[in-house]
Amino acid sequence: MLERMFRGKISVFLSLVARKLVSIGVTANMITLIGFCVNVLAAFFLATGRLVLAGVLILFGGTFDMLDGAAARAAPKSSESGALLDSVVDRYSEGAVFLGALIYFYVNEKLNGVVLVFAAMIGSILVSYVRARAEGLRIECKVGFMQRPERIAVLAFGTLMQGLVGNHFQVVQSSGLVLIAVIAILAITSHITAVHRLVFSLCELSNR
């Protein structure tokens, strides 16, 4: 219930902003590409260890990710090509941020962080892939709790906390403890969500 209320309030706000942007000629595709550029910039700052700025940019890029869908719905005519572009660019955006995290851990010689980032990236891709494959089989598959908005929020939180806490505690900074813990949670929950969607889709197919 709380999740629905939270999403509902955000949707109302985004719809208002999207209608304003559409009225001045901004398209959903423009918003999608701007969001991608923000995520690439976030990945650069993450890779170079400027974690607080990276976390803020990840959240900012996530706002564009939600805004482009609202803009598409607010436009006079929907575009299937725009929906395809959005889906593909979302994967590139997410991959760029994970690459930034992977480079950060590699530079700091944290092999466990590198492995966890790889696991989280594969899980995130599978969450989206299972849904897309299920929808290709005419199954509405939106189950699971670690969807893209949640992944963005978790990764942004972990990056911000690692930057803020690490600035005050040398042990946290040198170990990357906060970010490693958050990415471990992200990796586990992403795979759980992917398997959940797979089982749900198989059940739906067996009931036909």
Side-chain angles (χ1 to χ4, degrees):
M1 182 182 297
L2 288 174
E3 182 183 3
R4 288 196 298 270
M5 289 173 60
F6 185 65
R7 285 180 179 270
K9 290 180 179 179
I10 291 178
S11 296
V12 171
F13 174 74
L14 290 176
S15 295
L16 292 173
V17 176
R19 283 197 293 270
K20 182 62 177 177
L21 291 174
V22 170
S23 70
I24 61 175
V26 178
T27 67
N29 287 348
M30 291 178 187
I31 296 172
T32 297
L33 295 175
I34 292 171
F36 171 70
C37 293
V38 172
N39 278 295
V40 170
L41 191 60
F44 170 76
F45 286 121
L46 179 50
T48 54
R50 285 170 277 187
L51 301 183
V52 175
L53 184 54
V56 171
L57 286 173
I58 292 170
L59 282 177
F60 190 48
T63 302
F64 281 95
D65 181 47
M66 294 184 287
L67 191 57
D68 58 7
R73 291 187 292 272
K77 184 171 65 174
S78 61
S79 169
E80 292 182 347
S81 61
L84 177 61
L85 178 68
D86 180 38
S87 296
V88 173
V89 172
D90 280 354
R91 304 289 78 74
Y92 275 113
S93 294
E94 199 163 21
V97 174
F98 278 125
L99 176 60
L102 192 149
I103 292 172
Y104 169 78
F105 285 121
Y106 176 79
V107 169
N108 289 281
E109 300 181 348
K110 296 291 181 289
L111 180 60
N112 54 350
V114 172
V115 172
L116 286 170
V117 169
F118 181 77
M121 182 170 62
I122 295 300
S124 298
I125 291 171
L126 283 172
V127 169
S128 301
Y129 177 78
V130 174
R131 176 179 173 179
R133 192 68 184 91
E135 289 179 348
L137 297 171
R138 302 184 304 280
I139 298 170
E140 187 177 5
C141 184
K142 296 181 180 180
V143 299
F145 54 89
M146 192 52 71
Q147 301 182 57
R148 178 155 165 76
E150 287 79 7
R151 295 198 301 272
I152 292 170
V154 168
L155 188 55
F157 172 79
T159 305
L160 274 170
M161 289 300 101
Q162 177 64 43
L164 292 171
V165 177
N167 288 337
H168 296 88
F169 298 96
Q170 182 61 35
V171 174
V172 174
Q173 185 178 42
S174 60
S175 65
L177 181 62
V178 175
L179 190 54
I180 285 176
V182 169
I183 290 181
I185 293 170
L186 182 60
I188 293 168
T189 54
S190 293
H191 284 283
I192 290 173
T193 300
V195 172
H196 183 188
R197 288 185 169 185
L198 175 61
V199 172
F200 172 83
S201 300
L202 291 173
C203 291
E204 290 293 304
L205 287 171
S206 66
N207 292 330
R208 286 184 176 177

